[in-house]
Amino acid sequence: MDVKTVCLGMLSDGEASGYDLKKEFESSFGHFFAAGYGSIYPALSALADDGLVACEHVPQEGKPDRKVYSITAKGREHLLGALEDPAPSHRIRSEFLATMCFSHLMTPEQIETVLDSRVAETAEYIELFRELETCCIQDMHPGERFVLGFGKAVANAVFEYLETHRHLLHEADTAPARRSAGG
Amino acid sequence: MDVKTVCLGMLSDGEASGYDLKKEFESSFGHFFAAGYGSIYPALSALADDGLVACEHVPQEGKPDRKVYSITAKGREHLLGALEDPAPSHRIRSEFLATMCFSHLMTPEQIETVLDSRVAETAEYIELFRELETCCIQDMHPGERFVLGFGKAVANAVFEYLETHRHLLHEADTAPARRSAGG
DNA sequence: CGCAACATGTAAGCGGTTACATGATTAC
DNA sequence: GTAATCATGTAACCGCTTACATGTTGCG
């Protein structure tokens, strides 16, 4: 499943422009499937070339023209095919965890900075999820609610783990051999 | 931070061949930073070209020759530089969650299959973490222990969320408008 | 006899990121 | 004036995945 397929899925819910889809990627899909304009616009062009979406030009006054895409019958069929994968992947690519593996080569200040930035990003996601929950949950399909809950559960687990275990990264670095005498 | 840098970090702990590093990627790094031979061997060549690692040919009887790499002073310096990034990324790419967003277009059987496969993979990771904990935790740096704990915390959260919320994906699909009358 | 483990590599291709390019309106 | 929002796109590049290519030993 690539950006094309996700765009197609988004369009199965109603027509939209590339700009609209980008906003949807930022708000609800961003935490598990990021995409920028450089992926979205070519994806929509390719979908149109394959006849999976139809494109309607909408001239606007004062603003640039919109290209509004809507899914076709063929596109719907194709989407159902893509959803047949019995074991879709779920991959993490974490420079953060890779960095932490080598924390013994870093200064305590560096470690704290890295942890703080990770905590901050996690907190931002938690806040975003809270907003989505209060404003849009009634418009969501059950699947989207499930995915939102998944994001929340993981983000909360990460947040709690970071705060309760970050001290582990400093122990044994400062006083590795001084453990014997007075506790 | 790319595969090259992670290889360099692994070598900062002792010399190893590409084959050895692959095994390390599979066991302890795989859950957050995957890499195959097609990434590792070119990465080692490039590191050697840049003088960040030294390569020693070790002929073996009956087995193919090994190329044993060890980090150089220049390589150590470079690694420290790479660890200076104050906000290393942590990205998820989940076809699984994308698929679940469109679960209303799937049959209940398809949904169950997908969830089962995700539960199974999560359980495998939990088992792997348990093994790593019992066999190798004493050889780990504090950072590696922290990362192992992170993986466990997230995997446990995912496992529990999947089992306690998977039913949400079936509600409202079967009986969306029948809610009014009986309990 | 076949498969797994040991061991290293290349080449093509794909998909996504980043930077570049354009341009009007509105709000501060 | 200057930043943000609206709106679309291209092109180069980068890094990773996949498939291909080779060859031995030992186990069942």
Side-chain angles (χ1 to χ4, degrees), chain A residues 92-99 114 117-118 121, chain B residues 1 32-33 85-92:
Chain A
I92 295 165
R93 179 70 159 211
S94 180
E95 301 185 356
F96 163 67
L97 292 176
T99 300
V114 168
S117 85
R118 178 78 358 236
E121 195 176 314
Chain B
M1 178 170 311
F32 65 87
F33 209 108
D85 181 354
S89 68
H90 178 84
R91 282 177 199 162
I92 294 165

Side-chain angles (χ1 to χ4, degrees), chain B residues 17 19 41 60 65 67 93:
Chain B
S17 67
Y19 195 81
Y41 285 123
Q60 296 189 129
D65 294 359
K67 283 192 175 183
R93 180 70 159 210

Side-chain angles (χ1 to χ4, degrees), chain A residues 27 122-137 140 148-149 151-152 155-156 159:
Chain A
S27 66
T122 307
E124 267 174 52
Y125 273 122
I126 290 171
E127 177 57 25
L128 171 67
F129 296 149
R130 203 163 283 161
E131 275 169 39
L132 285 174
E133 222 168 23
T134 53
C135 83
C136 334
I137 203 153
M140 291 185 191
L148 176 58
K152 267 179 59 184
N156 285 331
F159 189 86

Side-chain angles (χ1 to χ4, degrees), chain B residues 81-146:
Chain B
L83 295 175
E84 275 170 19
D85 181 354
S89 68
H90 178 84
R91 282 177 199 162
I92 294 165
R93 180 70 159 210
S94 180
E95 300 184 357
F96 163 68
L97 292 176
T99 300
M100 290 301 92
C101 281
F102 309 121
S103 65
H104 56 286
L105 303 174
M106 299 165 70
T107 67
E109 291 75 30
Q110 282 181 320
I111 296 171
E112 285 304 294
T113 303
V114 168
L115 286 168
D116 286 344
S117 85
R118 178 74 4 232
V119 167
E121 194 176 315
T122 307
E124 267 175 51
Y125 273 122
I126 290 172
E127 177 57 24
L128 170 69
F129 296 149
R130 204 162 283 161
E131 276 169 39
L132 285 174
E133 222 167 24
T134 53
C135 85
C136 334
I137 203 153
Q138 68 274 14
D139 307 327
M140 291 184 190
H141 294 134
E144 290 175 301
R145 280 182 219 154
F146 175 87

Side-chain angles (χ1 to χ4, degrees), chain B residues 43-59:
Chain B
L44 289 170
S45 297
L47 289 170
D49 288 346
D50 296 344
L52 306 180
V53 299
C55 176
E56 191 193 356
H57 282 258
V58 181

Side-chain angles (χ1 to χ4, degrees), chain A residues 17 19 41 60 63-67 69 93:
Chain A
S17 67
Y19 195 81
Y41 285 123
Q60 295 189 127
K63 291 178 186 176
D65 295 358
R66 298 183 85 210
K67 281 191 176 183
Y69 294 89
R93 179 70 159 211

